Amino acid sequence: NGIEINSFFTLNSKRVNIHVLGYGFDPKALQPYIEQLKKLRHEHNDAIRKALQKLGIEINDSDLGALSTKNTITRLNFAKALVQKGYAETVKEALTKYLHRGGSAFVEYNTHPFSTVAKMIHDAGGIVSLAHPAEYKLENTDTEHMINSMIQEGLDALECIHPSQDSKYARMLMDIAVKKNLFQGAPKLAFAYRVVCLSFILTVSFLICIILHNPIYAARNGHCFKFNKLKLFAAHALRF
């Protein structure tokens, strides 16, 4: 089981908005807290709607996709609605102009501090991880300082691999995780994903061989397989 929760941490007397990941918890044990979070999100969405109304912009439930019980309404839904109504050309522009900090309809999310979120996840038997640290735009020294402080409040893991984090930054997080004995979930998940992908590719390759009745031979130059009339693109996947 997994969940991502909006939270914040106070670093050097300043609020840093963060995302906290929870893994392996008992869903039933965490459900009461999830209901609290849903209520907070609903209140936040109402506040955004009122802020937009003051600007003369009306956004209703159908604009947000809120009529579907499967949808979780976030700032992104408001941004898409603003684009559809012609108040911005792109989602990024809508977020910057209206919804993110500094925007004309920005509303601070009423989140719980990290210590509270961590306790709730731990009480449900889960593991607590800090999501994508690079997105918080901190200096590397401040990032490490924040991680060290969060460990005292229940941090168990770091999300070391994320699209927002280059290899150098990821290596820094891995080094911190090793030094502080924190879990590193993302690298293992990425490896498992590659294994599954390669297994699928190789299975499909053999099926193609059987269907086409083409001769097949192994090569030592980095290619996995080669056919008379078909060069298997998947062979190169073994290099990733």
Side-chain angles (χ1 to χ4, degrees):
N1 298 304
I3 191 171
E4 185 165 357
I5 300 174
N6 291 331
S7 181
F8 72 91
F9 192 84
T10 302
L11 179 68
N12 301 326
S13 302
K14 293 183 179 179
R15 175 183 174 122
V16 180
N17 291 321
I18 62 173
H19 287 179
V20 179
L21 301 171
Y23 297 113
F25 53 85
D26 178 359
K28 291 182 178 179
L30 196 63
Q31 190 59 41
Y33 184 56
I34 292 175
E35 294 303 319
Q36 290 184 41
L37 297 177
K38 288 180 179 179
K39 182 179 178 182
L40 288 176
R41 184 174 293 282
H42 181 72
E43 292 172 352
H44 182 246
N45 290 338
D46 281 347
I48 293 176
R49 199 193 307 258
K50 291 176 181 177
L52 289 170
Q53 286 174 343
K54 290 181 180 179
L55 300 175
I57 301 173
E58 291 290 338
I59 302 290
N60 57 42
D61 286 345
S62 61
D63 295 327
L64 299 172
L67 298 180
S68 171
T69 57
K70 295 181 180 180
N71 287 345
T72 298
I73 305 303
T74 67
R75 285 193 181 105
L76 185 59
N77 296 81
F78 281 95
K80 291 179 179 179
L82 288 167
V83 171
Q84 291 174 354
K85 287 178 172 288
Y87 292 101
E89 293 187 2
T90 65
V91 168
K92 183 178 181 180
E93 180 189 348
L95 290 168
T96 302
K97 185 177 179 180
Y98 295 101
L99 304 172
H100 280 173
R101 188 177 299 279
S104 55
F106 171 75
V107 178
E108 185 72 77
Y109 196 82
N110 185 22
T111 54
H112 294 149
F114 171 75
S115 56
T116 299
V117 176
K119 183 178 186 305
M120 292 297 179
I121 295 173
H122 281 155
D123 287 349
I127 293 172
V128 178
S129 177
L130 177 63
H132 44 69
E135 292 194 1
Y136 311 135
K137 308 301 182 184
L138 299 174
E139 296 292 333
N140 290 352
T141 53
D142 287 336
T143 296
E144 184 166 6
H145 177 55
M146 184 173 75
I147 291 170
N148 288 336
S149 299
M150 293 175 79
I151 290 173
Q152 305 304 315
E153 297 185 11
L155 184 68
D156 302 308
L158 290 177
E159 187 176 37
C160 298
I161 304 298
H162 188 269
S164 66
Q165 299 167 175
D166 60 23
S167 58
K168 183 178 180 181
Y169 193 90
R171 173 52 58 189
M172 180 194 76
L173 293 177
M174 291 178 189
D175 289 342
I176 293 173
V178 171
K179 183 168 60 176
K180 298 298 180 180
N181 197 30
L182 297 173
F183 291 112
Q184 302 176 57
K188 293 180 181 178
L189 290 175
F191 175 76
Y193 174 78
R194 291 184 177 190
V195 170
V196 171
C197 287
L198 285 174
S199 298
F200 174 78
I201 289 169
L202 292 176
T203 300
V204 171
S205 301
F206 281 112
L207 288 175
I208 291 174
C209 294
I210 295 171
I211 293 171
L212 298 181
H213 298 288
N214 277 326
I216 181 173
Y217 64 90
R220 297 180 180 178
N221 61 354
H223 297 273
C224 180
F225 302 112
K226 191 174 180 180
F227 301 91
N228 279 352
K229 298 180 181 179
L230 179 65
K231 289 186 177 180
L232 189 61
F233 76 94
H236 296 280
L238 285 174
R239 295 181 177 182
F240 80 104

